[in-house]
Amino acid sequence: MSFATPLHAAVVALGLIASGASNAQTSAAPAPSSSAASTANAPSGELRQQQALGVLSAINQAEINAGQLALSRARTEPARQYAQTMIRAHTENEKMLAAWKPDRSSAPAQAKTTEAKAEAAALARHQGAAFDSAYLQAMVKDHRKALQTLDDSLLPAATDAQVRAFLQQTRGHVADHLAQAERLAGTPATGR
């Protein structure tokens, strides 16, 4: 798997400027997979690829954090096992995601992080059996929202075929997580 580095992109750009390259020559140069390259191609209001990956990173971190909270508070074994699954799966996804250098500082990623912190604070107010129920209901809600985000924002932002394939694979895992959370919470399946 080959990824252009920011240094590579700078060298290519400097080389083009120094040689007085025309637009035709510029389009023949390898396009860096940086957020700057994605910015020019993203219509107004849509996420760039690196921003989309930053949002996915924020989703991963939210699920890891909620899982860790559940491990410390959940009373039932199914809720604890689900929390362990979320920590493991989202940590693995986050490690794979790192190869594409997600833009975690983008406004969309920061908004998701802020939203996740508020949800975690609300979840932390629950104790005992009420916590288990609230955690599983939150997982249903969060995974439904993650599927919608993947479908509506993240997948459309993928300009790289490998990133798109990764997001499709991630979508399948999120759908599985949702189905499991719906079963554990006794919530009707949505069919997403």
Side-chain angles (χ1 to χ4, degrees):
M1 190 178 310
S2 173
F3 301 102
T5 65
L7 178 59
H8 176 260
V11 169
V12 169
L14 287 174
L16 291 173
I17 292 168
S19 67
S22 69
N23 285 343
Q25 290 169 319
T26 302
S27 65
S33 68
S34 70
S35 57
S38 300
T39 303
N41 298 333
S44 178
E46 292 184 14
L47 293 180
R48 297 184 332 256
Q49 179 172 284
Q50 300 318 113
Q51 289 176 321
L53 295 175
V55 170
L56 180 57
S57 181
I59 290 169
N60 281 333
Q61 194 57 56
E63 296 306 322
I64 293 165
N65 293 344
Q68 290 170 340
L69 179 62
L71 281 181
S72 72
R73 296 217 180 159
R75 299 293 174 243
T76 63
E77 193 57 29
R80 292 180 60 75
Q81 287 178 355
Y82 184 83
Q84 288 173 332
T85 299
M86 292 305 96
I87 292 168
R88 184 179 59 252
H90 287 279
T91 298
E92 182 179 315
N93 189 275
E94 188 65 14
K95 286 178 185 173
M96 293 168 47
L97 178 61
W100 290 291
K101 298 177 178 49
D103 184 356
R104 294 176 180 95
S105 65
S106 69
Q110 291 298 309
K112 180 61 190 163
T113 297
T114 300
E115 175 187 332
K117 286 179 182 179
E119 290 173 359
L123 183 59
R125 289 192 279 272
H126 296 281
Q127 299 290 329
F131 177 87
D132 291 28
S133 177
Y135 171 65
L136 293 171
Q137 288 297 327
M139 291 299 95
V140 169
K141 178 182 155 206
D142 289 352
H143 285 89
R144 283 178 180 165
K145 196 181 302 184
L147 281 178
Q148 183 175 1
T149 300
L150 278 158
D151 291 343
D152 296 347
S153 301
L154 307 189
L155 281 161
T159 56
D160 179 275
Q162 291 176 333
V163 170
R164 185 163 188 75
F166 172 74
L167 291 175
Q168 287 286 5
Q169 180 183 29
T170 297
R171 191 200 185 285
H173 293 303
V174 171
D176 291 344
H177 296 167
L178 172 59
Q180 186 179 4
E182 287 172 336
R183 280 192 306 275
L184 292 171
T187 304
T190 61
R192 278 191 75 103

